[in-house]
Amino acid sequence: MRVAISGSSGLIGTALSESLEADGHEVLRLVRRPTAGAGEIPWNPSVGDVDPALLEGLDAVVNLSGAGIGDHRWTKAYKETLRNSRIRTTAILANALARLDDPPRVFLSASGVNYYGMDRGAEVLTEDSEPGQGFLPQLCQDWEAATDTAKAAGIAVCHTRFGLALDRRGGSLGQMLPVFRAGLGGPLAGGHQYWSFISMPDVVAALRFLIEQPGSVGIYNLTSPEPVTNGEFTRVLAHQLRRPAILPVPTVALRVALGEIAATIAGSLRMVPTRLVAAGFEFRHPTARSAIAAALEA
Ligand SMILES: NC(=O)c1ccc[n+]([C@@H]2O[C@H](COP(=O)([O-])OP(=O)(O)OC[C@H]3O[C@@H](n4cnc5c(N)ncnc54)[C@H](OP(=O)(O)O)[C@@H]3O)[C@@H](O)[C@H]2O)c1
């Protein structure tokens, strides 16, 4: 297969590229810096620039671009960066793909659990659940809508709503690990909120499943079938690291430290992968125990 990936230098893009290349597939990376040889496609999403001719004849395009949600406090300017780096990039790709003579069979475009909101308590969230309200839920809705031109051109578009992808090198788990290893971890914001997580091997396997399985189209929750509360996640993580986790961090402290971002940690989202399971996808790490173990062993 020939697969183009935007945001390929990120956590998910790196893992997906490595997996595809290990199996002999050709990966073309859309890069925002000057290209460094074959296998890279230049693009400049800030000015809307990509040469559609370089996207002809692909089997799949995977769109994983986006400035880090937790990298900076959400100032007005950074909120614009968060939106532009997802919505504008997606629209540029979708518009280019819509103009191709030989378009890809499938266009996978990232979205996230916060499509469903910031806090939905214990409600089980399937792909049919209503969207939530607020900055991040609206961003996710606009991000998904940015693929409309590709859909209108008849390309099968999949929206992959990622849960928390567990990787010890980055993301939320990567940030938690030094604290927990120092024995300073504990439940966050009371610990009663659901966290929808997924192991990185399952993220990669699910993306590859959607690329390879004929008929993949529409919304897919990419998350483990057994979401747990933050308290349970904390307990399992501490147990596997053989460290205590008795220092709770209250919501107010998270708000002071992180500002608006705190809501992504303190809110409860219990997302389940109904459509992936119905399509026959089998999770290697369905439980918090197995997914955390996979991340720590990787
Ligand atoms: N990991 C998760 O738990 C999770 C959960 C929910 C949703 N998601 C979404 O899934 C996507 C991939 O996740 P990830 O964890 O791999 O993200 P990541 O590690 O933060 O990587 C995202 C990539 O986006 C590109 N990027 C960064 N800033 C950009 C900007 N200002 N404009 C355009 N592109 C920019 C970069 O790739 P290049 O430099 O190669 O262009 C970067 O490596 C992201 O959109 C993320 O929001 C991830």
Side-chain angles (χ1 to χ4, degrees):
M1 291 190 301
R2 293 180 78 228
V3 180
I5 304 178
S6 74
S8 65
S9 66
L11 274 186
I12 296 175
T14 301
L16 176 64
S17 308
E18 286 173 0
S19 165
L20 287 167
E21 286 177 335
D23 287 342
H25 300 294
E26 186 182 355
V27 173
L28 298 163
R29 294 169 172 80
L30 284 136
V31 296
R32 294 176 295 145
R33 50 168 171 72
T35 53
E40 296 192 342
I41 297 174
W43 79 319
N44 186 346
S46 55
V47 295
D49 193 17
V50 66
D51 180 357
L54 300 174
L55 299 170
E56 292 282 4
L58 296 163
D59 293 286
V61 174
V62 185
N63 172 32
L64 297 169
S65 293
I69 296 285
D71 286 1
H72 298 280
R73 282 179 90 93
W74 290 357
T75 60
K76 198 165 171 242
Y78 197 61
K79 281 183 170 177
E80 270 312 291
T81 302
L82 292 174
R83 284 182 61 82
N84 287 337
S85 63
R86 290 176 172 75
I87 298 160
R88 196 191 284 163
T89 48
T90 302
I92 291 164
L93 270 181
N95 292 344
L97 298 181
R99 304 208 313 264
L100 299 182
D101 295 325
D102 185 8
R105 203 160 25 81
V106 64
F107 176 35
L108 266 53
S109 191
S111 181
V113 60
N114 288 107
Y115 172 91
Y116 299 108
M118 303 309 288
D119 188 356
R120 300 276 290 253
E123 181 182 351
V124 175
L125 300 166
T126 74
E127 288 85 351
D128 292 331
S129 297
E130 292 295 314
Q133 287 176 354
F135 169 69
L136 220 40
Q138 189 60 53
L139 183 159
C140 290
Q141 290 166 63
D142 296 343
W143 194 6
E144 294 186 8
T147 61
D148 280 356
T149 46
K151 278 184 204 164
I155 298 170
V157 175
C158 295
H159 300 289
T160 55
R161 292 182 185 156
F162 293 111
L164 193 63
L166 302 184
D167 191 313
R168 69 185 169 81
R169 293 165 299 188
S172 303
L173 182 65
Q175 288 173 355
M176 290 166 75
L177 275 178
V179 181
F180 274 71
R181 284 206 167 104
L184 299 172
L188 303 171
H192 302 297
Q193 70 281 28
Y194 276 92
W195 271 18
S196 299
F197 65 88
I198 179 168
S199 78
M200 193 56 88
D202 277 337
V203 169
V204 170
L207 290 171
R208 289 194 54 169
F209 178 87
L210 293 175
I211 292 172
E212 287 161 23
Q213 186 86 351
S216 302
V217 68
I219 297 152
Y220 293 89
N221 289 345
L222 264 67
T223 191
S224 111
E226 299 178 34
V228 294
T229 62
N230 167 266
E232 175 65 4
F233 189 94
T234 299
R235 196 188 60 73
V236 174
L237 177 59
H239 180 75
Q240 295 198 11
L241 291 171
R242 295 190 178 82
R243 292 284 189 281
I246 49 172
L247 295 173
V249 183
T251 310
V252 65
L254 284 173
R255 285 215 187 99
V256 170
L258 303 172
E260 253 185 284
I261 303 171
T264 62
I265 297 166
S268 183
L269 293 170
R270 190 181 188 182
M271 179 170 74
V272 291
T274 309
R275 291 201 65 223
L276 265 183
V277 171
F281 179 76
E282 289 181 16
F283 283 82
R284 270 175 68 195
H285 309 115
T287 63
R289 195 158 63 90
S290 56
I292 290 172
L296 297 180
E297 282 161 15

